[in-house]
Amino acid sequence: MLRVGSRAACVACRNLVANNMGVRFRIPLQKLHPLSRAIHHRYSGNGNPQRPPHRTAARYFTSMSRLPMRPPKPPPGSGGHGYQQQRNFWVARLAARLLKLRYILLGSAVGGGYTAKKTYDEWKEMLPDFSEYNWVIPDFVWELSEQIDLDKLAKALPEMEEIAKLLPDFDKIGENFTFLKSLLTSGVSLGSEVKGASGLHLLLETSGDPPLKATDSSAAVAHEAGDKQYKKSSDKEKVDQLQEELLRTQLRYQRMLERLEKENKELRKVVLQKDDKGIHQRKVKKSLIDMYSEVLDILSDYDANYNTQDHLPRVVVVGDQSAGKTSVLEMIAQARIFPRGSGEMMTRSPVKVTLSEGPHHVAMFKDSGREFDLTKEEDLAALRHEIELRMRKSVKEGQTVSCETISLSVKGPGIQRMVLVDLPGVISTVTTGMATDTKETIFSISKAYMQNPNAIILCIQDGSVDAERSIVTDLVSQMDPQGKRTIFVLTKVDLAEKNLASPSRIQQIVEGKLFPMKALGYFAVVTGKGSSAESIDSIKDYEEDFFQNSRLLRDGMLKAHQVTTKNLSLAVADCFWKMVRESVEQQADVFKASRFNLETEWKNNYPRLRELDRNELFEKAKNEILDEVISLSQVTPQHWESILQKKLWERVSTHVIENIYLPAAQTMDSGTFNTTVDIKLKQWTDKQLPHKALEVAWETLQEEFARFMAEYKGKDQDDIFDKLKEAVKDESIKRHKWNERALDSLRVIQHNALEDRSITDKPQWDAAIQFMEETLQSRLKDTESVIKDMVGPDWKERWLSWKNRTPDQHIRNETKNELDRLLKLHDEHTAYLANDEVTTVRKNLEARSVEVDPILIKDTWHQLYRRHFLQKALSHCNLCKRGFYYYQRHFVDSELECNDVVLFWRIQRMLVITANTLRQQLTNTEVRRLEKNVKEVLDDFGEDMEKKTQLITGRRVQLAEDLKKVREIQEKLEAFIEALHKEK
């Protein structure tokens, strides 16, 4: 009998259950209990095979389980009911036993998990806290990490074998250091045997040979002294080998870094391109560089007023002419963007280049929307040509250089963010074709940029010429004596190494020992072989190959961090941002004080006015002008026609009276009168009348437009818009062209109106008589005024006003009296005096001692006859008031032949029809075209900032402009400073 819970019982139970369930557990026999092994041997072939194993097992474990493993068969006749209950109970007990196994498994899993978690927490606590370095990786990188193909990235990285090749040979380095150690040990004192022996012992020990005994030390020292000359030469060779090995290792590392940087540049370009396509759905937080760029863009428009450009960091590139300034800037910008020349001045004005990082390598002018693709040679050539044109355009007549700045921005992957200004090269002599003050102008431009206390001076020195010929170094030392913001760059080092007999002179230059000027750093670069067709990549390869093989770097005259334009670009960018961090808070304080002063001035001078800048004022004035133009369309047709009719008659009345009516009225019969009138009217209509009518209509439109502008001006309008409105009015009228196609149709209408002689009713007849009467009276009044001026004051004025006649007026008065007597004698006299009549009048005057010229007599006669004729016409007009009845009946009566009334009716009707036609053209076409012209002018003025500055002026405008700019700049600077502090 086995004890319940013993090991043998458990194993035996497990085996039996396994046999019943058809499962074979692979448990080693040695691990079973002895009793279990016995049972196993007995029923697995070593015992009695006839007895079933499960019945035997049930007998042995009855006391343990209290349940036989297989119940006995039910007795016959019981029907199997009791046996079925006993069988079900046995199955339940078996299932309960089996379910206990899950607790064992669950407990094992919980315990193992707890142990793993505890071990992970212990390791995690041992790691340093990297939370302070989260700023290194931007937020959007985590989003892009899910989108980057890791397989492609893994393929792009170098293999471990390639990295192992780039690593130095540590065995060789160990040997070299062992050799140096032996030199230091053995070279202390050759005169001391003990020290010499120990040194040799150490040398042999480090070289792997067995150490010498103490008794052999004298012989070793003698042997070493004998080989001293040989060791000196071998020592020098090993030192050279060591230095070359270090240089090669450094260059391998440099190439590896450049390769990884290039791959990183391509990956960054892909990331930026995806970002441009809108992969990020959320708004990406702006970086410090972008925020500072916005401040620079705003300040560039504000520099003209407060000259704030001199208080923000700029990298000012200065140097002698043809020293390589432009080439250095092109290497930093990674594109050949500037015009080039051989020995001639190409940079004629400052060029401000804003460098920034972007997905595409492009360039753009500040005042232009065109993008130049710097990867295409066509766009590069167009950009260089555009820069050259802008330079020549900025140079005034008679000058060689200009102080106007050309603003250019360059974006591309991997470009360091900074702002550089390329200045004209400093010259020592003015050559033929230059202005006499060219040298002084270049000096003044350079000083203006370098005197900015925050400007970084990039001093370019040509290494291929004698250092004593440099001019720019003295200028830079004057502006920055301590060298706190100067970076010295030696160009054309390849030519300098080839031409100089003593390369140590280059070392003196880059160590700051040759020039009196001081600098933050010294760099040596190579910017090509002198060919303008070289690409940036080829120049970089040439520069790298040169310094790799140059003795300047190999002999230690130049340090690795002092060479290549790549290192220069990184150093300039670091210096630039350091200067930004040091100066931006001071600049923010300056704008804060300026804002306070400007706001105080506004409150004191304009307390009830809104702060509207020039653009806002222009928009307000634009709306007012458009309202005034719209008012033209609200003018009534009656008003248009009355004005047009009045003005047209004023324009043509002289021609009608002098050239049509008077010549025709002097005829004797009505037929001749009508014929003369018809001929002259036809000629007038064909040649002059339509043009005169269009001129009148155009002048009327201008006058009405000006009248509405003047009316609005008086309705509490701001007088600050007066110059703008006047300029818009003049420019709109200047641009407006009358539709000439209406001229032919107007001619036909006027001709048909003048051809109609039929007066249908008495009111029309009366209207024609009234029109004729008013016209003749007006002409008579004018004529009498002319005669009065000719003869002077009459006797009443002479007595009452104490006025006297001049001698000429006395002669004309005598002539007038003589001619009046002639008219009284001949009432039907013609319009012209005969020669004999002129002679008679002159002789009669001579008889009264009055000398008269015949021309004076004819001139006086013309005015007297005109007055006489108009008086007779007016009396005839009164008679024709009752002549409408005879006109309708076509009666022939000499006294009532009113052909002149019919003429004036025809003229009057032509005026009415012409005025109506012009009014229709004005309201339907010309007013709308004028409104369109006004809108175009306003749009053109709105895009022309210089025009708005000229037309909207005054302290109020300038104060509002300054307030807006200062507030915007201060807000941007404060946001930038806050982000800068968070980064720190």
Side-chain angles (χ1 to χ4, degrees):
M1 216 34 124
L2 296 176
R3 183 172 54 86
V4 177
S6 66
R7 179 182 178 188
C10 293
V11 172
C13 179
R14 180 179 179 183
N15 290 336
L16 291 174
V17 172
N19 290 331
N20 287 332
M21 297 182 69
V23 179
R24 185 178 300 275
F25 290 93
R26 296 180 181 179
I27 301 176
L29 186 63
Q30 292 78 8
K31 295 184 179 180
L32 294 176
H33 194 274
L35 182 58
S36 301
R37 286 199 300 269
I39 297 173
H40 176 76
H41 285 296
R42 182 177 181 181
Y43 293 104
S44 60
N46 298 327
N48 188 4
Q50 286 80 12
R51 182 173 294 175
H54 58 274
R55 292 185 180 181
T56 307
R59 178 181 298 176
Y60 275 96
F61 296 109
T62 303
S63 61
M64 178 188 71
S65 60
R66 297 290 189 269
L67 181 68
M69 297 304 295
R70 175 173 291 182
K73 295 182 179 180
S78 62
H81 180 71
Y83 176 78
Q84 184 67 28
Q85 290 181 348
Q86 188 177 4
R87 179 181 178 90
N88 293 339
F89 181 71
W90 176 82
V91 172
R93 291 292 300 271
L94 178 62
R97 291 301 181 96
L98 291 177
L99 290 176
K100 290 182 180 180
L101 294 175
R102 64 179 180 178
Y103 297 105
I104 299 175
L105 297 177
L106 181 61
S108 301
V110 172
Y114 174 76
T115 305
K117 182 177 184 301
K118 186 175 180 181
T119 305
Y120 169 74
D121 293 337
E122 291 177 357
W123 276 92
K124 186 177 179 181
E125 291 176 358
M126 295 173 62
L127 295 175
D129 187 9
F130 292 100
S131 61
E132 298 180 358
Y133 304 97
N134 290 337
W135 60 270
V136 176
I137 303 177
D139 296 338
F140 67 88
V141 173
W142 302 110
E143 297 179 1
L144 289 176
S145 62
E146 301 176 359
Q147 303 172 7
I148 296 175
D149 193 345
L150 295 179
D151 295 335
K152 292 184 179 179
L153 181 61
K155 293 179 181 178
L157 294 176
E159 299 293 338
M160 293 302 298
E161 292 79 1
E162 298 181 5
I163 297 177
K165 292 179 182 178
L166 295 174
L167 294 176
D169 190 349
F170 293 104
D171 296 334
K172 287 187 177 181
I173 292 176
E175 294 177 1
N176 292 328
F177 277 110
T178 302
F179 170 71
L180 291 176
K181 184 177 180 182
S182 67
L183 288 179
L184 295 174
T185 307
S186 62
V188 175
S189 175
L190 291 175
S192 176
E193 292 182 359
V194 177
K195 292 182 179 180
S198 62
L200 184 60
H201 175 77
L202 180 61
L203 178 63
L204 292 175
E205 190 179 49
T206 55
S207 62
D209 295 335
L212 295 175
K213 296 181 180 180
T215 57
D216 298 334
S217 60
S218 299
V221 170
H223 179 72
E224 182 180 355
D227 295 340
K228 183 178 181 181
Q229 188 68 28
Y230 173 75
K231 282 182 175 293
K232 285 185 177 180
S233 60
S234 62
D235 293 347
K236 185 177 181 181
E237 291 178 358
K238 287 191 175 183
V239 170
D240 292 340
Q241 286 181 353
L242 178 61
Q243 190 170 3
E244 290 179 0
E245 180 68 23
L246 291 175
L247 181 60
R248 284 194 296 270
T249 302
Q250 187 176 15
L251 291 175
R252 283 199 299 270
Y253 274 116
Q254 184 72 19
R255 284 195 296 270
M256 179 181 177
L257 289 175
E258 290 179 356
R259 177 183 175 186
L260 293 176
E261 195 172 87
K262 185 176 180 181
E263 294 174 354
N264 186 28
K265 178 180 176 181
E266 294 295 330
L267 181 60
R268 190 187 303 114
K269 181 177 180 180
V270 173
V271 170
L272 292 172
Q273 286 177 342
K274 290 182 178 180
D275 189 48
D276 282 351
K277 294 177 181 178
I279 291 179
H280 305 307
Q281 298 299 326
R282 68 179 183 90
K283 185 178 180 181
V284 180
K285 184 179 180 181
K286 290 184 179 179
S287 65
L288 280 175
I289 294 177
D290 294 332
M291 297 173 69
Y292 183 71
S293 177
E294 289 183 3
V295 175
L296 290 180
D297 294 338
I298 300 172
L299 283 173
S300 62
D301 297 330
Y302 191 66
D303 293 340
N305 298 326
Y306 279 81
N307 199 21
T308 52
Q309 180 181 5
D310 292 339
H311 302 289
L312 281 179
R314 300 287 193 277
V315 181
V316 180
V317 187
V318 295
D320 298 330
Q321 183 179 345
S322 301
K325 306 184 314 302
T326 303
S327 299
V328 171
L329 205 156
E330 287 181 337
M331 291 292 290
I332 296 175
Q334 302 180 16
R336 307 298 294 269
I337 58 178
F338 292 102
R340 312 185 67 84
S342 178
E344 60 176 326
M345 179 181 293
M346 297 303 298
T347 306
R348 297 180 177 271
S349 64
V351 181
K352 184 177 69 175
V353 183
T354 302
L355 301 178
S356 60
E357 190 175 16
H360 305 288
H361 203 184
V362 295
M364 181 188 299
F365 289 100
K366 179 184 175 182
D367 56 352
S368 175
R370 178 185 178 183
E371 275 191 352
F372 296 88
D373 190 350
L374 301 183
T375 61
K376 298 180 180 179
E377 188 58 36
E378 299 82 6
D379 284 16
L380 278 172
L383 177 62
R384 291 192 291 265
H385 181 66
E386 180 67 20
I387 293 176
E388 185 175 2
L389 288 179
R390 288 174 179 256
M391 285 184 181
R392 296 187 179 278
K393 185 178 180 180
S394 65
V395 177
K396 298 180 181 179
E397 187 176 357
Q399 300 293 322
T400 306
V401 294
S402 170
C403 60
E404 296 182 11
T405 304
I406 299 174
S407 297
L408 179 71
S409 63
V410 177
K411 296 182 180 181
I415 295 180
Q416 299 297 323
R417 175 73 187 200
M418 56 185 140
V419 178
L420 303 100
V421 182
D422 187 20
L423 300 180
V426 179
I427 61 175
S428 58
T429 305
V430 177
T431 59
T432 305
M434 292 185 179
T436 56
D437 61 342
T438 301
K439 180 179 177 181
E440 290 76 13
T441 304
I442 294 176
F443 267 86
S444 64
I445 294 174
S446 301
K447 288 181 178 179
Y449 278 91
M450 288 191 292
Q451 70 184 3
N452 174 11
N454 297 323
I456 302 168
I457 303 173
L458 197 63
C459 181
I460 310 297
Q461 171 63 34
D462 191 349
S464 64
V465 299
D466 296 335
E468 291 76 11
R469 295 168 56 186
S470 176
I471 306 172
V472 71
T473 52
D474 295 335
L475 181 61
V476 172
S477 62
Q478 294 175 11
M479 306 307 298
D480 185 24
Q482 302 300 322
K484 295 182 178 180
R485 50 190 180 88
T486 300
I487 297 177
F488 183 86
V489 182
L490 185 67
T491 61
K492 307 178 184 179
V493 183
D494 53 343
L495 299 179
E497 183 185 33
K498 185 185 301 182
N499 298 334
L500 290 178
S502 176
S504 61
R505 191 172 177 87
I506 298 178
Q507 184 179 5
Q508 292 179 341
I509 294 176
V510 297
E511 290 179 354
K513 298 178 180 179
L514 189 63
F515 293 109
M517 62 169 288
K518 300 178 182 180
L520 284 173
Y522 297 84
F523 289 86
V525 299
V526 175
T527 56
K529 300 179 182 180
S531 173
S532 60
E534 290 180 289
S535 64
I536 295 296
D537 293 335
S538 63
I539 295 175
K540 286 183 179 179
D541 295 339
Y542 173 71
E543 184 183 40
E544 180 182 346
D545 294 340
F546 168 77
F547 284 115
Q548 182 178 356
N549 302 319
S550 173
R551 57 180 294 193
L552 298 173
L553 199 62
R554 187 172 60 251
D555 295 345
M557 298 181 185
L558 296 177
K559 303 298 187 296
H561 68 273
Q562 289 182 307
V563 298
T564 71
T565 52
K566 179 69 176 179
N567 293 333
L568 171 64
S569 176
L570 293 173
V572 173
D574 291 341
C575 186
F576 171 77
W577 279 107
K578 180 181 177 182
M579 193 71 73
V580 169
R581 290 183 174 91
E582 293 175 354
S583 62
V584 68
E585 292 190 5
Q586 180 183 2
Q587 189 69 23
D589 294 337
V590 171
F591 278 103
K592 186 175 182 180
S594 300
R595 175 178 177 176
F596 176 78
N597 296 335
L598 294 172
E599 287 178 346
T600 304
E601 182 180 355
W602 183 273
K603 291 177 182 178
N604 294 333
N605 296 326
Y606 313 102
R608 297 186 178 182
L609 294 177
R610 289 193 301 128
E611 299 170 4
L612 299 179
D613 60 6
R614 185 170 281 108
N615 291 329
E616 293 171 338
L617 288 172
F618 180 81
E619 291 299 323
K620 182 179 178 182
K622 179 179 179 180
N623 294 330
E624 290 185 4
I625 294 173
L626 292 177
D627 290 342
E628 295 164 7
V629 175
I630 292 176
S631 300
L632 282 175
S633 60
Q634 300 177 357
V635 178
T636 61
Q638 294 79 8
H639 181 73
W640 279 118
E641 292 183 9
S642 62
I643 295 175
L644 290 169
Q645 186 174 345
K646 180 180 179 181
K647 287 186 173 295
L648 182 59
W649 176 241
E650 290 176 357
R651 182 67 57 87
V652 302
S653 60
T654 301
H655 180 83
V656 171
I657 298 300
E658 301 295 334
N659 298 329
I660 298 177
Y661 174 65
L662 290 180
Q666 294 175 10
T667 58
M668 295 292 100
D669 57 290
S670 59
T672 306
F673 177 87
N674 292 331
T675 302
T676 304
V677 166
D678 292 343
I679 293 174
K680 290 186 177 293
L681 286 177
K682 182 68 167 60
Q683 295 175 352
W684 183 46
T685 305
D686 292 340
K687 297 180 180 180
Q688 300 180 10
L689 182 57
H691 298 282
K692 295 289 183 182
L694 292 182
E695 290 177 4
V696 168
W698 178 221
E699 291 175 3
T700 303
L701 180 61
Q702 297 180 39
E703 290 176 1
E704 288 298 302
F705 182 38
R707 181 176 66 85
F708 276 102
M709 299 274 283
E711 288 180 357
Y712 271 85
K713 180 180 177 181
K715 295 180 180 179
D716 298 330
Q717 296 298 313
D718 201 336
D719 57 357
I720 204 170
F721 302 145
D722 291 347
K723 291 177 65 176
L724 175 62
K725 290 184 177 181
E726 191 68 23
V728 171
K729 183 192 72 173
D730 295 341
E731 183 65 21
S732 301
I733 291 173
K734 181 180 178 182
R735 295 186 183 184
H736 186 82
K737 300 296 182 183
W738 196 274
N739 188 4
E740 297 294 337
R741 291 180 297 179
L743 186 66
D744 296 334
S745 60
L746 181 62
R747 180 182 292 109
V748 174
I749 292 172
Q750 290 174 338
H751 186 271
N752 293 335
L754 291 174
E755 286 291 327
D756 188 8
R757 298 187 180 88
S758 59
I759 304 177
T760 58
D761 52 16
K762 186 69 166 58
Q764 293 181 355
W765 181 269
D766 294 338
I769 292 177
Q770 183 182 358
F771 175 61
M772 177 180 175
E773 216 171 27
E774 291 175 355
T775 303
L776 295 179
Q777 287 177 354
S778 175
R779 292 294 169 176
L780 180 60
K781 185 177 179 180
D782 295 339
T783 304
E784 288 180 347
S785 177
V786 172
I787 294 174
K788 183 178 180 179
D789 293 337
M790 291 172 58
V791 301
D794 55 6
W795 64 272
K796 290 183 180 180
E797 292 181 359
R798 290 199 305 271
W799 282 99
L800 297 176
S801 303
W802 295 86
K803 294 181 179 180
N804 296 320
R805 291 175 176 154
T806 62
D808 184 64
Q809 290 177 343
H810 178 70
I811 294 174
R812 285 190 175 274
N813 184 59
E814 294 295 331
T815 306
K816 167 184 168 296
N817 295 332
E818 187 67 25
L819 293 174
D820 282 340
R821 286 192 290 268
L822 180 61
L823 279 175
K824 289 180 180 179
L825 294 175
H826 305 281
D827 188 58
E828 300 295 332
H829 201 285
T830 60
Y832 302 99
L833 281 176
N835 292 331
D836 54 348
E837 291 176 332
V838 173
T839 303
T840 303
V841 171
R842 186 168 62 85
K843 288 182 178 180
N844 292 336
L845 293 174
E846 288 177 354
R848 294 198 295 269
S849 302
V850 178
E851 296 291 335
V852 182
D853 187 71
I855 296 176
L856 188 144
I857 296 174
K858 292 182 180 181
D859 187 34
T860 306
W861 168 258
H862 176 72
Q863 298 299 330
L864 292 176
Y865 181 81
R866 182 186 182 86
R867 182 182 65 178
H868 174 70
F869 176 80
L870 293 174
Q871 290 173 350
K872 288 179 61 178
L874 279 173
S875 61
H876 182 69
C877 183
N878 291 326
L879 293 175
C880 289
K881 289 181 179 180
R882 54 185 179 86
F884 179 70
Y885 175 78
Y886 297 97
Y887 170 77
Q888 274 191 328
R889 302 299 190 275
H890 301 287
F891 290 158
V892 179
D893 190 341
S894 60
E895 291 186 0
L896 293 178
E897 286 185 357
C898 300
N899 296 315
D900 47 0
V901 176
V902 176
L903 170 63
F904 277 93
W905 181 82
R906 295 165 66 183
I907 299 295
Q908 187 183 34
R909 188 165 181 271
M910 182 272 299
L911 293 175
V912 172
I913 294 176
T914 302
N916 181 269
T917 304
L918 294 176
R919 188 266 305 167
Q920 293 180 13
Q921 185 174 358
L922 281 172
T923 55
N924 296 337
T925 306
E926 303 303 331
V927 171
R928 296 179 181 177
R929 291 180 64 237
L930 179 62
E931 182 179 353
K932 181 180 178 182
N933 291 337
V934 171
K935 290 181 179 178
E936 292 177 355
V937 172
L938 288 172
D939 291 340
D940 293 343
F941 284 3
E943 296 174 358
D944 191 350
M945 194 62 199
E946 184 178 355
K947 198 76 173 179
K948 288 192 288 187
T949 305
Q950 294 176 356
L951 298 176
I952 304 178
T953 58
R955 178 56 187 164
R956 170 186 153 196
V957 182
Q958 193 60 49
L959 191 59
E961 284 279 313
D962 296 340
L963 266 172
K964 179 182 178 182
K965 290 292 183 182
V966 167
R967 287 193 182 116
E968 188 176 6
I969 293 170
Q970 184 187 2
E971 292 173 359
K972 297 289 185 182
L973 284 175
E974 289 177 353
F976 175 73
I977 293 171
E978 182 181 357
L980 194 64
H981 288 167
K982 288 183 179 179
E983 183 189 58
K984 291 181 180 179

